[in-house]
Amino acid sequence: MTATTSDALAAVGQAGILIALLALAHAPLGGYMARVYSSPRHWRLEAAWYRVLRVDATTDQRWRTYATQVLGFSLVSVLALYGLGRLQAYVPWNLGFSGLDPAGAWNTAISFTTNTNWQWYSGEAATGHLLQMIGFTVQNFVSAAVGLAVAVALIRGFARSGTDGRIGNFWADLTRGVVRILLPLSVVAAIVLVAQGVIQNLDPHSTIATLQGGSQTALGGPVASQEAIKELGTNGGGFFNANSAHPYENPTHLTNLFEIFLLLLIPSALPRTVGIMVGDRRQGWAILGAMATIWVGALVLTTWAEMAGPGTAPQLAGAAMEGKETRFGTAASALFAVSTTATSTGAVNSMHDSYTAPGGAVLMVDMLLGEVAPGGVGAGLYGMLIIAILAVFVAGLMVGRTPEYLGKKIGQREMTLVAMYVLTTPAIVLTGAALAVSVDPGVAGIQEDGPHGLSEVLYAFASAGNNNGSAFAGLATGTGFYNTALGVAMLLGRFVPILIVLALAGRVSSQRTVPTSAGTLPTHRPLFAGLVAAVAVVVVGLTFLPVLSLGPLAEALS
Amino acid sequence: MHSIRLTTSSSLRALARSSLTGLKMLAAFTVVCGVAYPLLITGVAKAAFPWQAAGSLVTATGERTTDRGEAAGSALIGQSFEGDAWFLPRPSAAGDGYDTLASGGSNLGPESPDVVASIAEGRAEVAAREGVDVSQVPADAVTASGSGLDGAISPAYAALQVPRVARERGLDEATVAALVADATHERTLGVLGDPYVDVLALNTSLEQAAPADTM
């Protein structure tokens, strides 16, 4: 019953195929995205779109304007989704479901607008087709495009020299991200998913007779169209409660690999976009190297933990199969789990709450690292660039050189912004988790006593604060307290970092690019990639070790 | 003081202006991404993959259908079976078992006393039912899947059930083992996922070979 050599070889083999597919897509997609965001010309279709909507998509904007537009767009997105959720009872194709309660609608509106897709509700029992289509699917696209836009604005800041803080046009970036990148890829991906068995229809749910004469509900819904962008946009919100463990979302061996490929596709290609836009592809390689180092490390650890199956329940059963699908087994589950938490996706093909203690701990650390390996669409890249600046600063301190990154001097103001960024999410996660375990409505949601209970709460706030959306789902979170608190965590965890990144983008954009000299720390070598990965791990270690040792580490050692 | 107030109100005005533009953009994206895109995919899916798009429904004789009235289930979704004449699926945490309106897992942790007790109980039960030692009970036989709708079992669990099902249906074990082999999916490309046996397909072919209700 324990894992055999052929199981181990298969685990390596499927990771190898995944890496090969991503490698094939890396240069073409990375280059394409660089062209999309660098081209001065609008497509004719886009030009018409801007004209009809009377949107200025041409003016190069300063960071404050850009940030205001990000916030304005996100504000109306939250309000629209809140309204739609509340009024569900009155829209067509609602399958008879009523409106969401105020705390629930708030949570869901924030959740989908922030690219988190935390779900307190069960899709098949609470949301109709129209809410899924014009609410969730739309936000899956635009929240991903917002993340891309912010990342691109930061890249432009580094690439430009001596502007008065101009970083691009948000409306053009938003539109191009959807129209030129996400939509075409989603159309192809959705059709592939349907061919493999992911459903796509507008039928209601209705009862059928089973083979033995019992009854079961046949499900309907526009699932494939949502599934494609759910992975591609690193959103992660499942059409059904079981998410990508559900056979109608992820039916086969192939769809499982394909969905993992989709969720890693854009984040892993973005370093190439950076390299091209700053005019030195090697810089992109170093970023990618740091991302890959962390991802591979996490994958090896989690795969080992799930295949070995330490812990009382897995040992008794013979394998860590609680919460896992037979068709995926432990290795393909671990591959999905690591990729979904190392990006900001949060889709799951197996239930993380039932993972072994070390396996679950790695997933938590993946998120606590700020989801940078390779991270969410756009969000992972700007997170990693922040850590790279931190690494340059640390290295500068060690060797007594003035820190520079991508031709920009890293001075006091830049470091202040970086420090604020690095501290924001931990503050949200730790404050939120501490609050939840201190008040009755927070404690009431905990399913299990002891360290695992703390892990459930910590995981929830790590997931919300980092806009992941996966859960240790034993925690009962569909309550007023958790819906409100996690909503606040998601909101701050998304927009505070975005504001800091845009401020930094404006700052570096206004700086003149300094030529590299003998005194410049080379940031394109493997050594630097290793340093970036190490800095990411050390920062998280120092911040979270105390709480991790009370939760998953205590559980693993007990 | 005066200038701060001025900045705040002009920022708010800028935010209001951006929100208005944002509203127009959101409306347009809703039409494109929320209506046109899903309907386009629905149209293509219905034309090119009608059976898959409708849910991979199968009749009681294993024929593909898109008519829910004829269907005895979905080839992809697990369903409950009870009694010794059937291959039995995994435990399910979806509602009372295989309830498609309540998909999900137990979400119990690896040290949870509840899950440890249910595994121990399951092992004893399966071992007694199949007449084997508890050490031979595979993990998937005593653990709930993540979806609660897992229509598959491991080849080991299927093999364990062959003698009982053959006996109950008056078939020889080789015949039943052959049906199991037909319903077995190896790893795709040799490395993807785990091998599994499709329980509904297996029980459907069993019914064709020797219907349970004529026993």
Side-chain angles (χ1 to χ4, degrees), chain A residues 7 14 53 124 200-201 204 206 211-212 216-217 225 241 248 253 312-313 322-327 354 447-448, chain B residues 24 37 42 53 55 68 78-79 82 90 100 103 106-111 137 144 146-147 150 187-188 193-194:
Chain A
D7 293 334
Q14 66 186 343
L53 297 175
E124 60 269 37
Q200 180 72 24
N201 58 59
S206 68
L211 185 61
Q212 205 185 352
Q216 194 176 40
T217 304
S225 53
N241 187 49
Y248 274 169
H253 294 148
T312 310
E322 185 71 28
K324 295 193 181 72
E325 305 295 292
T326 310
R327 63 193 180 285
S354 300
Q447 177 181 247
E448 289 179 40
Chain B
K24 292 188 286 182
Y37 159 71
T42 307
R68 286 183 182 177
Q79 47 183 252
E82 277 170 33
R90 296 177 66 180
T100 51
S103 68
S106 73
N107 287 306
L108 294 168
E111 304 298 330
V137 176
S147 64
D150 191 350
R187 288 190 170 108
T188 303
D194 267 11

Side-chain angles (χ1 to χ4, degrees), chain B residues 193-206:
Chain B
D194 267 11
Y196 64 90
V197 178
D198 179 341
V199 177
L200 179 61
L202 177 55
N203 280 332
T204 301
S205 61
L206 266 180

